[in-house]
Amino acid sequence: MATPPPPPKLQCGRSLLDLPDELIPEILLRLPPHDPRRLVRCSAVCKPWRRLLTDPAFLRRYRAFHGVPPMLGLIFYLELPRSRFLARFVRTTSFRPRTLDHAGCYVRDARHGRVLFSNATSEENEDELFVWSPVTGERWGLDMPSPFDCWSVAVLCAAAAREGGCDCDHLDCHGGPFLVTFVDTDDDGRTYARVYSSETGAWSDATYAQHPNNLAMDMKDPSALVGNRIYFPAAGSKTIVEYDLGRRKLAFVDPPLAHQGHGILMPAMGGGLGFASVRGSRLYLWSRETGSARTAAAWTPSRVLELNTLPNRRTRVPLNQPTALGFTEILMEEYVTVVGFAEGLGVIFVRTSAGVFAINLESGQVKKMSSRRPGVVIPYMSFYTPDHATGLPPVP
């Protein structure tokens, strides 16, 4: 690790190290989590700072202070020459995992500090499915529970199966027990779900439900977790499969009636299930609240955004930099589609002819994230703190 710069000087000529002890934690607490390099560098300034920045009590306070984990990178599928392909981790911060590429793999999901892959060619791993923690580099392999081709799968912290997940805030649970939820349709047209537990190392018995039409799961589209229910798109976004993790029960939900074409599921910003799709030059957002005993749950339009101002391929936009383009200036050249979302950040990813852009739904800021045009973008969100960093000498 490079030698850290000398600590900054105050105007009075005294070092930050000379500040009262009670002020140091308050200053370090406010270091931005989306630039983890700062925390790691500060931990190398001196032994007292390293003790503080690796202390579990301080780190719990740090994560609680900042709330939602930062987005450290994006993962998507890339096609290579000679019929090769891989899943690539694209850095959007100073965080760099030990492995950037997973050859012969598709990224399926990411949640609570873990990433889930399916392995198509066994180039790097014999397991058909495996879970990876980019922060620690750990891997957990599991077998595929079905021989069928059209299935959907999701990974989540085991505590999320309980209503509200009240015993875990999901701010630092990437090393704890996890679940993998698998949904598929069998030869008889029945939709079923099975759940893998890392604690038992086994899949649960299948839970079945019958849909009037034979469903084909949208295996590449992201799932959405709302409370302890996980939602999967099916039949080209024409049906939504709901799986209640607590009651182990399947149900089916219709998408918004006004929806046309491809859409993605997401947690709504105000709570409940959300849905997003593009029609023409507009991004439509809906939310669905759980109904009462007398009324059924219904979709409500929540927002419409004009997208005819996103940059086209002739417009040079720097990567990962907020632009002042807003939604008013540059005409879009071709079809735009929604390809992902970041839970808790209010960010939706759209693909245009110029690449992938992140739209912050609160501020309206637009960032270009990649010049490539993948079908699905899976953001990786987690805190990366000095207790996870490598290359630091131990504190005596």
Side-chain angles (χ1 to χ4, degrees), residues 13-30:
R14 298 177 62 191
S15 166
L16 280 176
L17 299 176
D18 297 327
L19 287 174
D21 291 342
E22 63 271 17
L23 291 183
I24 297 298
E26 298 301 320
I27 294 173
L28 298 179
L29 187 68
R30 287 160 174 79

Side-chain angles (χ1 to χ4, degrees), residues 324-358:
L325 296 170
F327 298 108
T328 58
E329 294 181 2
I330 301 174
L331 184 63
M332 183 173 57
E333 280 190 336
E334 60 184 56
Y335 183 71
V336 176
T337 185
V338 186
V339 291
F341 67 94
E343 290 186 12
L345 294 181
V347 172
I348 284 183
F349 300 96
V350 297
R351 185 187 66 217
T352 76
S353 62
V356 172
F357 291 82

Side-chain angles (χ1 to χ4, degrees), residues 9-55:
K9 300 291 184 177
L10 299 179
Q11 290 184 354
C12 62
R14 298 177 62 191
S15 166
L16 280 176
L17 299 176
D18 297 327
L19 287 174
D21 291 342
E22 63 271 17
L23 291 183
I24 297 298
E26 298 301 320
I27 294 173
L28 298 179
L29 187 68
R30 287 160 174 79
L31 290 174
H34 61 267
D35 188 6
R37 176 174 49 192
R38 298 188 187 185
L39 274 177
V40 175
R41 284 180 173 178
C42 285
S43 67
V45 169
C46 62
K47 291 181 180 178
W49 283 25
R50 198 184 319 152
R51 290 192 187 97
L52 174 65
L53 289 171
T54 55
D55 179 67

Side-chain angles (χ1 to χ4, degrees), residues 311-378:
N312 56 35
R313 74 183 81 192
R314 293 175 299 182
T315 308
R316 294 185 178 181
V317 180
L319 288 175
N320 301 322
Q321 296 295 321
T323 72
L325 296 170
F327 298 108
T328 58
E329 294 181 2
I330 301 174
L331 184 63
M332 183 173 57
E333 280 190 336
E334 60 184 56
Y335 183 71
V336 176
T337 185
V338 186
V339 291
F341 67 94
E343 290 186 12
L345 294 181
V347 172
I348 284 183
F349 300 96
V350 297
R351 185 187 66 217
T352 76
S353 62
V356 172
F357 291 82
I359 301 175
N360 189 304
L361 298 178
E362 292 186 357
S363 67
Q365 282 190 331
V366 178
K367 290 184 182 181
K368 185 175 183 180
M369 310 305 293
S370 174
S371 295
R372 296 182 180 272
R373 295 184 287 169
V376 175
V377 171
I378 304 292

Side-chain angles (χ1 to χ4, degrees), residues 88-105:
R88 170 162 295 174
F89 188 101
V90 178
R91 299 167 58 202
T92 58
T93 66
S94 56
F95 169 71
R96 181 183 177 89
R98 300 171 189 175
T99 303
L100 291 176
D101 294 340
H102 294 270
C105 296

Side-chain angles (χ1 to χ4, degrees), residues 253-271:
V253 177
D254 291 327
L257 290 176
H259 151 68
Q260 295 180 1
H262 176 263
I264 65 163
L265 301 170
M266 54 187 285
M269 295 183 65

